[in-house]
């Protein structure tokens, strides 16, 4: 059950909070309508902004590839570690002011053209009847003229002449198309645009202005966005926001073109420097190669060489042959020596060895003849003796032949010794040549190595020169265009967002104002403010705010809101006087407030009139002796005696001081009378109690219009006689912190039986139940259109 009650309380509180704002619905509606009108006008007057974009792929620069302008240096090892082709660097280059400056210069975007028709001036890009070309520009003067607004000109045509009028000074300059003319900060030429569509822009007034290049570059640089489409690729998207789609598309395309041009120029510059370097190196290498080849030629000539490897093989072969021949000669010498030894030791009957391998044909024949003689002697000797003349003759022949063979062998040996010496000398020569071969080969290999190195480097540089020539002849762009610049659509202003923003703004502004007003407000506004600060004090009634043109007093059979509010208040008072049921008449109601001006007298009189209209006998007593206000409602009473006179003068009779009012026969006034110097002492007089007792016998209700209790103590002196204290609080007048004063007064016993009457309540805050929950009842013959609308929304 408690949760249900909490939910109901929260719901009621929410409704109350909403009600605080809904009561100002006309202002909220007016604010929303105004904001929507402003948003609509803004959409009509603002220039739409479009977003153009283009996509490119940055080619990876491979320094080792033959097509790269850096490949020659890369193969030579000169730029290892120096090549940085990071994609972030390329994005930075595309976003640089230098690239944008080249783009703006190429498109002449610092010259802007305008067309004015039907009081609307708009920028145009291509479809303009003339074109401006800048021959010479003084940048410092242009900045000064632009700051003074002297850089804009209107253009008109007179036959073959063009007339420029300065939009600020009105100064005119006349010139023929194509002739140079001076406009103080620049020399320009005005030419006709052959592609101008005269039908589209007919009847328009044309103008142009020239802006400083730096400002235009900054403008487009701020609106340019360059970003990677994917972190793992070299795909880059360029986007630009501008009021003219064609211009932004041209800027993006030209920016890509300028980027490629610069890349090609850089590549060609590298290739040109590479070509110069290669040509210089070729001259040096060619000279060094010639020198090495001459050294090689001299080396061969001095050593009578053709081919070291082949000649060394010949030397080895000759050395082997000479060694073999020498061995053979040694064998022959040994054979000859053996034959000589055999001849010296042998007799005539001994045969000489034959066919031993001696190479001398004469010796072999002599040995053969000798052996034949020995054989014949030995054969004859077998049949005869040594004395035989034949034997003697044969011995002589054998001796002679032996001597001949011996001499022949000695000669053969001498010849063989000579041959062996010659062979030894030749062998030594060949051996020396063979021993020289490693040294010659080493020297030759060094020369040959130098020749090969120079020749390889020479051929390499020739190849690189051809590759470099190809790279100069074929220059591919660095940025490959994936999508040319295109406009995706309008990005600002967005009508839905602007209108929605206007609606929100129109709703938000009054809510903020109302909230701020409530937050800063320190005055009591409504019943809620009283209930929050003084829950223990009942609220007897709420009195609405009355227009000056309306009557401030209630009449008989009055059906106004004022009259009904007092009727409700009297009804509530009956419940508050439940403990006073023993009193049939003479009920005393004390009306007071915290400070002056809160409507005590107004409340007292209307309360009395309402009771009088109900047939009750009522008297209003002016108990404010210091600042009486009751006389304002009856001019005649201002000159009469009253309460103060009665309290001072015991001879005065009370019935003589009471005056019947003109408003109602049941209503009488007892004014405060003369203003005394000592009001507090008078109110302590015993005659005050006697006076009230006498009035109780005559009247049903006695209403005491007293002084503000916070300013003087007079009211506290009278409160002891009151059956009910009506504490008047004026809406939008009484400060909230002053509500603490009646609470303190009740706590201290100065006031008792206190009830609030909230006076001068605004119509938006009036009627706790009626307005809060949307119920109303007609109190006038014609509600009017505004009242009907309010009733409908309530």
């Amino acid at each position: 059950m408690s949760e249900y009650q909490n939910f109901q309380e929260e719901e009621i509180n929410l409704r109350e909070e909403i009600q605080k704002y809904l009561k100002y619905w006309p202002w909220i509606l007016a604010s929303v309508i105004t904001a929507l009108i402003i948003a609509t006008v803004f959409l009509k007057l603002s220039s739409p902004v479009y977003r153009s974009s283009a996509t490119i792929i940055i080619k990876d620069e491979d320094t080792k590839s033959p097509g790269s302008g850096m490949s020659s240096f890369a193969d030579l090892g000169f730029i290892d570690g120096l090549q940085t082709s990071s994609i972030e660097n390329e994005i930075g280059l595309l976003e640089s002011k230098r690239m944008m400056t080249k783009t703006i210069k190429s498109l002449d975007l610092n010259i802007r053209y305008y067309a004015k028709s039907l009081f609307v001036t708009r920028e145009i890009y291509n479809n303009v009847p003339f074109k401006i070309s800048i021959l010479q520009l003084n940048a410092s003067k242009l900045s000064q003229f632009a700051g003074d607004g002297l850089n804009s000109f209107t253009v008109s045509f007179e036959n073959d002449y063009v007339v420029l009028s300065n939009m600020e000074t009105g100064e005119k300059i006349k010139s023929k198309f194509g002739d140079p003319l001076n406009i103080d900060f620049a020399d320009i030429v005005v030419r006709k645009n052959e592609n101008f569509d005269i039908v589209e822009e007919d009847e328009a007034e044309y103008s142009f202005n020239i802006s400083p290049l730096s400002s235009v570059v900054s403008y487009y640089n701020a609106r340019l966005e360059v970003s990677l489409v994917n972190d793992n690729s070299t795909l880059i998207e360029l986007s630009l926001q501008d009021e003219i789609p064609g211009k932004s598309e041209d800027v993006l395309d030209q920016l890509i073109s300028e980027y490629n041009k610069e890349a090609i120029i850089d590549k060609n510059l590298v290739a040109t420097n590479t070509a110069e370097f290669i040509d210089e190196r070729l001259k040096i290498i060619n000279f060094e190669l010639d020198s090495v080849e001459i050294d090689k030629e001299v080396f061969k000539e001095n050593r009578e060489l053709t081919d070291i490897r082949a000649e060394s093989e010949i030397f080895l072969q000759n050395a082997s042959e000479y060694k073999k021949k020498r061995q053979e000669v040694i064998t022959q010498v040994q054979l000859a020596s053996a034959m000589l030894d055999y001849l010296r030791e042998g007799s005539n009957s001994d045969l000489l060895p034959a066919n031993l391998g001696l190479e001398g044909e004469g010796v072999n024949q002599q040995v053969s003849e000798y052996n034949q003689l020995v054989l014949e002697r030995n054969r004859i000797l077998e049949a005869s003796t040594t004395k035989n003349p034949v034997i003697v003759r044969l011995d002589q022949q054998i001796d002679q032949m032996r001597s001949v063979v011996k001499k022949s062998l000695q000669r053969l040996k001498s010849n063989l010794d000579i041959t062996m010496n010659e062979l030894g000398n030749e062998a030594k020569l060949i051996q020396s040549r063979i021993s020289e071969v490693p040294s010659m080969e080493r020297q030759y290999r060094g020369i040959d190595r130098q020749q090969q190195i120079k020749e390889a480097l020479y051929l390499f540089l020739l190849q690189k020169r051809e590759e470099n020539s190809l790279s100069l002849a074929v220059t591919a762009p660095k940025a490959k265009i994936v999508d040319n610049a295109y406009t995706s659509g309008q990005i600002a202003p967005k009508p839905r967002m602007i209108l929605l923003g206007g609606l929100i703004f129109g709703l938000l502004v009054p809510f903020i104002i109302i909230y701020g007003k409530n937050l800063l407000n320190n005055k009591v506004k409504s019943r809620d403010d009283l209930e929050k600060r003084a829950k223990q004090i009942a609220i007897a009634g709420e009195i609405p705010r009355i227009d000056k043109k309306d009557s401030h007093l209630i009449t008989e059979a009055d059906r106004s809101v004022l009259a009904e509010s007092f009727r409700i208040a009297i009804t509530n008072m009956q419940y508050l006087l439940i403990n006073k049921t023993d009193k049939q008449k003479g009920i005393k109601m004390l009306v007071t407030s915290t400070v002056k001006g809160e409507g005590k007298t107004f409340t007292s009189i209307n309360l009395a009139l309402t009771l009088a209209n109900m047939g009750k006998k009522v008297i209003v007593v002016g108990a404010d002796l210091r600042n009486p206000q009751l006389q304002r409602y009856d001019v005649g009473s201002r000159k009469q005696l009253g309460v103060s006179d009665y309290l001072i003068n015991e001879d005065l009779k009370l019935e003589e001081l009471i005056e019947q009012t003109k408003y109602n026969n049941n209503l009488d006034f007892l004014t405060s009378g003369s203003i005394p110097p000592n009001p507090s002492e008078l109110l302590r007089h015993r005659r005050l109690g006697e006076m009230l007792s006498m009035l109780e016998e005559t009247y049903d209700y006695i209403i005491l219009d007293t002084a503000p209790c916070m300013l003087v103590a007079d009211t506290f002196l009278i409160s002891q006689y009151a059956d009910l204290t009506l504490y008047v609080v004026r809406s939008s007048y009484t400060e909230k912190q002053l509500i603490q004063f009646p609470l303190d007064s009740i706590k201290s016993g100065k006031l008792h039986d206190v009830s609030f009457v909230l006076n001068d309540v605004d119509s938006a805050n009036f009627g706790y139940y009626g307005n809060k929950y949307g119920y109303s009842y007609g109190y006038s013959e014609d509600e009017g259109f505004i009242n009907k609308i309010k009733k409908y929304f309530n």
Side-chain angles (χ1 to χ4, degrees):
M1 184 67 181
S2 60
E3 293 182 358
Y4 176 73
Q5 289 177 348
N6 291 336
F7 175 77
Q8 281 189 321
E9 291 177 0
E10 290 178 2
E11 183 180 5
I12 292 173
N13 292 336
L14 180 61
R15 288 179 180 178
E16 290 176 359
E17 291 298 322
I18 295 175
Q19 186 67 26
K20 289 180 182 179
Y21 297 95
L22 287 182
K23 62 188 178 182
Y24 298 101
W25 69 265
W27 296 107
I28 296 174
L29 180 61
S31 175
V32 169
I33 294 174
T34 303
L36 290 177
I37 292 173
I38 294 173
T40 304
V41 173
F42 173 78
L43 288 174
K44 293 293 183 182
L45 296 180
S46 61
S47 299
V49 178
Y50 300 89
R51 183 180 186 272
S52 301
S53 58
T55 309
I56 60 175
I57 289 180
I58 302 297
K59 295 182 180 179
D60 294 330
E61 291 292 336
D62 186 3
T63 58
K64 302 297 183 181
S65 61
S68 173
M70 300 294 290
S71 61
S72 301
F73 284 127
D75 289 339
L76 291 172
F78 292 162
I79 60 170
D80 288 345
L82 299 179
Q83 182 70 10
T84 57
S85 183
S86 124
I87 196 67
E88 288 80 8
N89 293 343
E90 305 304 324
I91 291 176
L93 183 60
L94 287 167
E95 291 178 336
S96 66
K97 286 190 175 182
R98 182 170 58 85
M99 295 300 300
M100 185 57 72
T101 301
K102 290 184 177 181
T103 302
I104 300 303
K105 284 184 177 179
S106 300
L107 297 175
D108 289 332
L109 293 186
N110 58 328
I111 305 173
R112 296 189 176 185
Y113 304 92
Y114 300 90
K116 181 179 180 181
S117 57
L118 297 176
F119 305 103
V120 177
T121 302
R122 68 183 186 280
E123 183 181 354
I124 52 179
Y125 180 48
N126 287 325
N127 197 26
V128 61
F130 61 92
K131 285 290 184 181
I132 305 296
S133 299
I134 299 177
L135 302 178
Q136 187 177 2
L137 180 67
N138 189 325
S140 59
K141 271 191 174 183
L142 174 59
S143 299
Q144 180 182 354
F145 275 70
D148 297 335
L150 302 175
N151 61 330
S152 299
F153 299 86
T154 59
V155 181
S156 58
F157 309 102
E158 297 178 3
N159 298 325
D160 292 336
Y161 288 89
V162 60
V163 179
L164 272 62
S165 300
N166 192 294
M167 297 179 67
E168 184 69 20
T169 63
E171 181 182 355
K172 294 185 177 181
I173 306 173
K174 189 174 182 180
S175 174
K176 284 187 176 181
F177 281 103
D179 289 349
L181 55 93
N182 182 267
I183 53 172
D184 292 329
F185 55 83
D187 293 330
I188 64 172
V189 172
V190 182
R191 295 186 176 88
K192 289 184 178 181
N193 185 7
E194 301 299 334
N195 298 324
F196 172 61
D197 185 3
I198 193 170
V199 177
E200 181 181 350
E201 299 294 340
D202 195 19
E203 301 296 333
E205 178 184 339
Y206 297 99
S207 61
F208 74 92
N209 71 351
I210 301 176
S211 303
L213 190 63
S214 59
S215 64
V216 180
V217 170
S218 299
Y219 171 81
Y220 281 101
N221 239 19
R223 297 192 169 197
L224 175 68
E225 293 182 3
V226 183
S227 58
L228 270 176
V229 176
N230 192 312
D231 293 337
N232 298 323
S233 68
T234 58
L235 198 66
I236 295 177
E237 182 185 38
L238 296 87
S239 60
L240 184 65
Q241 299 178 11
D242 196 65
E243 288 80 7
I244 304 176
K247 182 188 287 189
S248 58
E249 291 173 5
D250 288 350
V251 169
L252 291 178
D253 289 337
Q254 188 64 32
L255 179 61
I256 296 171
S257 176
E258 293 295 334
Y259 173 79
N260 281 330
K261 284 181 183 178
E262 184 164 295
I264 290 172
I265 291 173
D266 290 344
K267 191 182 295 184
N268 288 343
L269 180 63
V270 172
T272 303
N273 293 336
T274 303
E276 294 177 358
F277 171 78
I278 290 175
D279 289 339
E280 183 180 353
R281 291 301 302 166
L282 278 175
K283 291 179 183 178
I284 298 173
I285 297 301
N286 189 28
F287 175 78
E288 293 178 352
L289 183 59
D290 289 342
S291 176
V292 171
E293 288 180 344
I294 291 172
D295 291 342
K296 186 176 181 181
E297 180 181 354
V298 172
F299 183 80
K300 285 186 175 182
E301 287 179 354
N302 292 339
R303 289 163 178 76
E304 297 178 355
L305 297 174
T306 54
D307 187 351
I308 292 181
R309 185 178 297 277
E311 290 188 359
S312 61
E313 291 178 357
I314 293 173
F315 288 155
L316 291 174
Q317 185 178 358
N318 290 340
S320 178
E321 289 179 356
Y322 277 112
K323 186 175 181 180
K324 183 179 179 182
K325 287 180 180 181
R326 188 169 180 274
Q327 190 65 36
E328 291 176 353
V329 170
I330 292 172
T331 302
Q332 292 293 323
V333 171
Q334 290 177 352
L335 288 174
S337 297
M339 288 290 290
L340 287 173
D341 292 339
Y342 189 79
L343 284 174
R344 284 193 296 269
E345 294 176 358
S347 60
N348 290 339
S349 60
D350 294 331
L351 293 173
L352 293 175
N355 297 326
L356 293 176
L358 290 173
E359 295 180 353
E361 293 294 335
V363 175
N364 289 329
Q365 186 177 359
Q366 290 173 358
V367 170
S368 179
E369 289 178 358
Y370 176 80
N371 286 334
Q372 287 179 0
L373 290 175
V374 172
L375 288 173
E376 185 177 359
R377 174 183 178 276
N378 290 336
R379 182 178 58 79
I380 297 173
L381 187 58
E382 289 178 357
S384 65
T385 63
T386 57
K387 299 298 185 176
N388 187 338
V390 177
I391 295 300
V392 172
R393 184 179 54 82
L394 287 172
D395 287 336
Q396 291 178 351
Q397 289 179 352
I398 289 171
D399 291 336
Q400 290 177 356
M401 186 58 66
R402 180 187 287 271
S403 178
V404 171
V405 171
K406 185 177 180 180
K407 289 181 179 180
S408 295
L409 289 172
Q410 289 176 348
R411 187 169 54 253
L412 177 60
K413 182 180 178 184
S414 298
N415 291 335
L416 289 173
D417 288 338
I418 293 172
T419 301
M420 190 175 64
N421 290 332
E422 290 178 356
L423 289 174
N425 292 333
E426 289 293 334
K428 290 180 180 179
L429 180 60
I430 291 172
Q431 190 64 35
S432 66
R433 295 294 297 273
I434 290 173
S435 62
E436 290 178 357
V437 166
S439 176
M440 285 189 299
E441 187 174 8
R442 179 180 57 78
Q443 296 178 21
Y444 180 78
R445 283 184 179 176
I447 298 173
D448 188 58
R449 188 182 302 110
Q450 289 294 323
Q451 181 190 16
Q452 290 177 0
I453 291 172
K454 301 297 181 184
E455 186 175 359
L457 184 56
Y458 183 78
L459 293 175
F460 171 78
L461 290 175
L462 286 177
Q463 178 185 357
K464 293 305 168 185
R465 184 170 67 178
E466 292 303 317
E467 291 177 0
N468 192 62
S469 299
L470 288 175
S471 67
L472 277 172
V474 181
T475 52
K478 186 174 185 179
K480 180 181 179 182
I481 299 176
V482 178
D483 291 321
N484 287 314
Y486 65 94
T487 302
S488 56
Q490 180 178 335
I491 60 171
K494 295 182 179 180
R496 292 184 179 179
M497 295 297 295
I498 296 297
L499 292 175
L500 180 61
L503 177 62
I504 295 174
F505 183 79
L507 290 171
L508 195 61
V509 167
F511 273 97
I512 292 175
I513 293 174
I514 295 169
Y515 177 78
K517 185 178 179 181
N518 293 333
L519 185 66
L520 298 175
N521 178 47
N522 64 340
K523 305 292 178 65
V524 175
K525 298 287 289 185
S526 65
R527 184 188 189 102
D528 292 338
D529 295 333
L530 286 177
E531 291 180 343
K532 288 178 181 178
R533 291 182 173 266
K535 292 182 179 180
Q536 59 271 42
I537 300 178
I539 299 176
E542 296 177 73
I543 311 302
R545 181 171 299 168
I546 306 301
D547 294 335
K548 292 182 179 180
K549 62 182 180 179
D550 295 335
S551 175
H552 286 208
L553 296 178
I554 298 172
T555 61
E556 292 187 34
D558 196 338
R559 298 178 63 237
S560 66
V561 177
L562 178 65
E564 188 62 26
S565 65
F566 275 98
R567 293 189 187 104
I568 295 173
I570 290 174
T571 302
N572 294 334
M573 291 175 196
Q574 301 302 321
Y575 291 99
L576 297 174
L577 294 169
I578 194 70
N579 295 326
K580 309 293 182 180
T581 54
D582 55 331
K583 296 186 67 173
Q584 298 297 323
K585 56 189 303 183
I587 296 175
K588 297 181 287 298
M589 294 184 183
L590 185 146
V591 180
T592 187
S593 67
T594 308
V595 294
K596 64 178 293 186
E598 292 180 295
K600 298 182 299 299
T601 305
F602 167 80
T603 303
S604 300
I605 292 177
N606 280 288
L607 182 62
L609 284 171
T610 304
L611 291 170
N613 291 333
M614 296 170 61
K616 303 296 183 180
K617 190 67 175 176
V618 184
I619 184 171
V620 178
V621 179
D624 186 359
L625 305 183
R626 300 172 184 268
N627 185 23
Q629 297 294 322
L630 190 60
Q631 290 88 335
R632 291 189 297 115
Y633 293 92
D634 192 348
V635 177
S637 65
R638 293 185 180 181
K639 298 180 181 180
Q640 292 182 355
L641 301 177
V643 174
S644 61
D645 301 296
Y646 176 78
L647 296 177
I648 295 173
N649 190 356
E650 296 186 1
D651 295 332
L652 290 176
K653 295 182 178 181
L654 184 61
E655 57 270 14
E656 295 176 354
L657 302 178
I658 298 173
E659 180 184 2
Q660 185 177 6
T661 66
K662 60 183 178 180
Y663 305 113
N664 194 296
N665 294 329
N666 294 325
L667 177 62
D668 294 337
F669 279 176
L670 176 58
T671 61
S672 58
S674 304
I675 299 176
N678 55 345
S680 298
E681 285 76 3
L682 285 179
L683 294 176
R684 288 187 178 91
H685 202 283
R686 59 176 176 78
R687 285 176 62 85
L688 176 63
E690 295 174 358
M691 181 189 72
L692 295 176
S693 299
M694 294 171 63
L695 293 176
E696 287 180 6
E697 296 176 359
T698 308
Y699 295 96
D700 297 321
Y701 289 94
I702 303 166
I703 298 176
L704 302 170
D705 181 22
T706 64
C709 59
M710 185 177 180
L711 302 179
V712 293
D714 299 357
T715 303
F716 298 139
L717 299 175
I718 305 174
S719 64
Q720 58 182 322
Y721 303 104
D723 297 316
L724 179 64
T725 302
L726 297 179
Y727 203 98
V728 180
V729 177
R730 185 174 180 179
S731 175
S732 302
Y733 183 84
T734 305
E735 296 182 3
K736 293 179 180 179
Q737 60 185 3
L738 296 181
I739 303 301
Q740 186 63 34
F741 182 79
L743 295 175
D744 295 340
S745 299
I746 294 172
K747 187 176 181 179
S748 61
K750 295 178 181 178
L751 295 176
H752 62 89
D753 296 316
V754 179
S755 297
F756 282 128
V757 174
L758 184 59
N759 183 31
D760 199 22
V761 181
D762 184 67
S763 59
N765 298 318
F766 176 70
Y768 182 79
Y769 296 102
N771 278 5
K772 182 173 183 180
Y773 295 100
Y775 300 104
S776 62
Y777 192 79
Y779 292 102
S780 61
E781 296 296 332
D782 186 10
E783 292 183 356
F785 177 72
I786 298 298
N787 290 332
K788 290 180 180 179
I789 294 178
K790 289 183 179 180
K791 182 178 178 181
Y792 172 78
F793 277 95
N794 285 333

